[in-house]
Amino acid sequence: MSDTVSVKTVATTPFEGQRPGTSGLRRKVKVFAQPHYLENFVQSIFDSLEGFAGQTLVVGGDGRYHNRTAVQTILKMAAANGFGRVKVGQGGILSTPAVSCIIRKHKAFGGIVLSASHNPGGPDEDFGIKYNVSAGGPAPEKVTEAIYARTQAIAEYRIAEAPDVDLDRLGETRLGDMVVEVVDPVADYAELMETLFDFPAIRALFAGGFRLCFDAMHAVTGPYAREILEGRLGAPAGTVINGTPLEDFGGGHPDPNLVHAHDLVAAMESADAPDMGAASDGDGDRNMILGRGIYVTPSDSLAILTANAPLAPGYAGGVAGVARSMPTSRAADRVAEKMGIPAFETPTGWKFFGTLLDAGKVTLCGEESFGTGSDHVREKDGLWAVLLWLNVVARRGESIAAIVRGHWAEYGRTYYSRHDYEGIDSDGADRLMAHLRATVPGLVGQTVAGREVVLGDDFAYTDPVDGSTAARQGIRIGFADGARIVYRLSGTGTAGATLRVYIERYEPDATRHDLDPQEALADLIAAAGQLADIPGHTGRSEPSVIT
């Protein structure tokens, strides 16, 4: 370090439970605000890495409460541990896909993302941190497990004693021997989007009167959407609503679904509804798509974008393959089969797509939890999905509803729903899953809800690229007619447990494509509750959220 900054070595002791979940470590702000808690985890990240001396680290977050404080801590620790440069978003803000974009473009060693994604923000709400590797994606399990092991043995951390960095002024400053570069959060990402999509066609779409309502939910995508949609594509001012990132997301829940994106849903249900509605989440990696009179499920969105991706310049060469998380409906599989490309089923967690993307085995990937992305970065990307939809609409000259119905007519409709039981007792949730593990394999050959059960297992995965394995990834019940029931516990909450139940069935008959999904799936929904004894194990007779 230079003479102007000294490094302090601070004695510490481990905290229990610093194991990263499906997307990093998430806890309440008050947990992260404890002395040494964040520092222990950051030092454990650095202690688990090799060869970063003098290298570049990217740092940014979704702007939620505690973001700025955490950024300052990380900058000082990065300097003390020997990084040569940190690129940090202005104001400490970077969307999760923008972090991935910057890591890849500037060949950074890795990045630290500060976000609890779609979870609420504020002094009494949630915070999160995760490490992304040099490919731009979330750290694979071997890295997160090494980080966790280090958190259990850590005895000290290193931090520079220095004033806070001015995060609001673009440009370079020094923190000891390390350069801190405050960058425009949007510039590199917007430049990448211009290479992927037919901006002139989308500009012409807006110039012709096409109306979009994009709900940024007072989260990180506000500045990105305003610059790209209103600035570069000419959408009218006001197209982006709730566009200013707030530390508490305006008191809302920045999860782009039909329950929480209520301002958008109200706009789409009004007499003067726009042609298209879209929303993104806290850190900008999720999306929801609506048309006039139609909601596009994330599973259908992945399938439709896979079928239409070559309409965008960045994908004109075709789609190498498609990957989906196991609970995501098999609608994309049917597209892949018709296109003659491979379809991969992975555990939940974007990190499982990374090896497939890096190996060129897939071009698009998606999760039922409102995440869609491609090989342009190594994260799901909410605004990217909106832009690809706009590109498809512009090139096809059809409404969202017409595109979706045309897709169903060609490929059949997969009725799909997810029922979330949030904040349930963790012991009850564990008993429920243990009950299913013990009983579901024995259902094979039996009849449930008038269907023959042909599959009953706890999903396990072997990565076709690196051979890594993941077990106990969710209980699957598969039926002879293609219907499925899936149960899994979510790893993204910070209090209690969240049980997710996924129900789907395939309907090839185009005359039966207008049913309400809850009605179309009613017998399977009832069976799902009975097979798991959800009321008995959770005390809940109804889900908290239905999507």
Side-chain angles (χ1 to χ4, degrees):
M1 302 296 291
S2 69
D3 294 336
T4 56
V5 172
S6 62
V7 173
K8 180 167 63 172
T9 300
V10 181
T12 189
T13 55
F15 289 89
E16 286 298 317
Q18 287 195 321
R19 183 191 292 275
T22 52
S23 196
L25 179 67
R26 295 181 186 172
R27 298 288 184 269
K28 294 295 183 185
V29 166
K30 290 177 179 177
V31 174
F32 271 101
Q34 297 175 88
H36 312 308
Y37 190 90
L38 174 67
E39 291 88 343
N40 276 20
F41 192 77
V42 173
Q43 189 65 57
S44 296
I45 293 173
F46 295 158
D47 287 351
S48 303
L49 305 174
E50 295 179 354
F52 59 78
Q55 297 291 312
T56 297
L57 181 72
V58 179
V59 176
D62 59 14
R64 67 178 57 233
Y65 187 87
H66 202 60
N67 190 79
R68 281 178 175 262
T69 301
V71 166
Q72 297 288 357
T73 297
I74 292 165
L75 293 177
K76 294 168 188 176
M77 292 186 69
N81 279 273
F83 278 93
R85 176 181 292 266
V86 172
K87 288 179 173 286
V88 58
Q90 187 177 27
I93 286 195
L94 282 173
S95 75
T96 293
V99 170
S100 185
C101 166
I102 293 171
I103 290 172
R104 292 171 65 79
K105 178 178 177 180
H106 297 281
K107 297 180 170 55
F109 186 87
I112 292 179
V113 183
L114 298 169
S115 175
S117 188
H118 55 295
N119 294 4
D124 298 317
E125 297 296 349
D126 297 343
F127 192 74
I129 179 172
K130 70 173 181 176
Y131 179 71
N132 281 28
V133 295
S134 59
E141 294 219 313
K142 63 182 178 182
V143 175
T144 58
E145 284 301 303
I147 293 169
Y148 173 64
R150 184 61 186 153
T151 69
Q152 299 303 288
I154 192 168
E156 62 184 34
Y157 62 83
R158 294 181 294 285
I159 188 165
E161 294 186 294
D164 284 353
V165 173
D166 184 352
L167 296 175
D168 296 311
R169 184 171 62 85
L170 294 173
E172 296 183 357
T173 57
R174 296 196 73 84
L175 191 55
D177 291 337
M178 187 182 80
V179 174
V180 178
E181 182 185 358
V182 179
V183 302
D184 179 338
V186 179
D188 286 333
Y189 177 86
E191 180 184 275
L192 177 60
M193 294 302 106
E194 291 218 35
T195 69
L196 298 175
F197 301 115
D198 188 344
F199 272 35
I202 301 172
R203 271 195 293 269
L205 181 71
F206 284 125
F210 184 89
R211 292 163 56 222
L212 166 71
C213 179
F214 181 95
D215 189 351
M217 304 189 80
H218 291 301
V220 78
T221 47
Y224 295 83
R226 279 189 174 136
E227 167 63 23
I228 295 172
L229 296 172
E230 297 181 7
R232 302 191 183 200
L233 291 172
T239 293
V240 178
I241 62 172
N242 301 322
T244 301
L246 299 175
E247 288 191 333
D248 66 349
F249 306 115
H253 191 144
D255 190 355
N257 63 42
L258 294 170
V259 175
H260 296 306
H262 37 75
D263 290 352
L264 173 65
V265 171
M268 294 304 296
E269 290 177 347
S270 69
D272 188 33
D275 299 286
M276 176 177 168
S280 191
D281 70 327
D283 66 331
D285 63 359
R286 299 183 183 216
N287 74 91
M288 179 171 69
I289 303 295
L290 300 166
R292 280 186 184 163
I294 195 161
Y295 156 64
V296 187
T297 71
S299 295
D300 275 348
S301 184
L302 175 63
I304 293 166
L305 293 180
T306 299
N308 289 277
L311 295 175
Y315 307 95
V319 175
V322 62
R324 60 168 178 84
S325 65
M326 182 272 287
T328 302
S329 95
R330 291 184 285 186
D333 300 25
R334 296 182 178 98
V335 173
E337 183 178 9
K338 194 160 188 176
M339 293 175 70
I341 60 174
F344 296 86
E345 181 179 50
T346 74
T348 297
W350 205 260
K351 58 192 172 187
F352 292 104
F353 295 136
T355 55
L356 298 171
L357 291 164
D358 290 344
K361 288 183 175 295
V362 301
T363 304
L364 268 65
C365 41
E367 298 178 325
E368 51 70 37
S369 53
F370 297 84
T372 328
S374 85
D375 56 1
H376 70 291
V377 290
R378 292 299 181 269
E379 292 278 5
K380 47 187 176 266
D381 189 345
L383 189 51
W384 167 90
V386 175
L387 291 168
L388 182 48
W389 265 100
L390 286 168
N391 198 140
V392 171
V393 170
R395 289 290 305 277
R396 289 185 58 146
E398 296 177 279
S399 69
I400 300 284
I403 290 169
V404 173
R405 293 184 185 284
H407 183 88
W408 292 341
E410 183 172 355
Y411 295 97
R413 180 175 184 183
T414 302
Y415 282 104
Y416 182 85
S417 186
R418 186 180 97 187
H419 289 208
D420 291 357
Y421 297 80
E422 298 177 335
I424 61 178
D425 176 69
S426 296
D427 290 341
D430 289 341
R431 285 193 298 272
L432 181 148
M433 294 301 286
H435 165 71
L436 288 170
R437 287 190 180 98
T439 58
V440 161
L443 294 175
V444 175
Q446 296 188 27
T447 299
V448 174
R451 297 170 171 84
E452 181 190 355
V453 178
V454 295
L455 172 72
D457 70 358
D458 193 347
F459 180 56
Y461 178 68
T462 300
D463 190 297
V465 178
D466 66 12
S468 62
T469 60
R472 295 166 71 98
Q473 294 297 309
I475 307 295
R476 299 187 296 180
I477 302 172
F479 298 92
D481 66 351
R484 283 199 314 168
I485 300 171
V486 173
Y487 307 84
R488 59 178 291 273
L489 297 182
S490 170
T492 58
T494 60
T498 295
L499 170 68
R500 302 201 198 282
V501 185
Y502 313 83
I503 308 102
E504 70 175 276
R505 78 169 178 85
Y506 179 61
E507 179 55 76
D509 183 354
T511 66
R512 298 182 54 78
H513 285 173
D514 286 322
L515 302 176
D516 178 275
Q518 303 310 308
E519 187 181 311
L521 298 167
D523 57 340
L524 289 164
I525 291 168
Q530 292 162 7
L531 290 170
D533 188 14
I534 292 175
H537 286 106
T538 71
R540 304 278 183 87
S541 58
E542 299 291 336
S544 313
V545 179
I546 295 175
T547 50

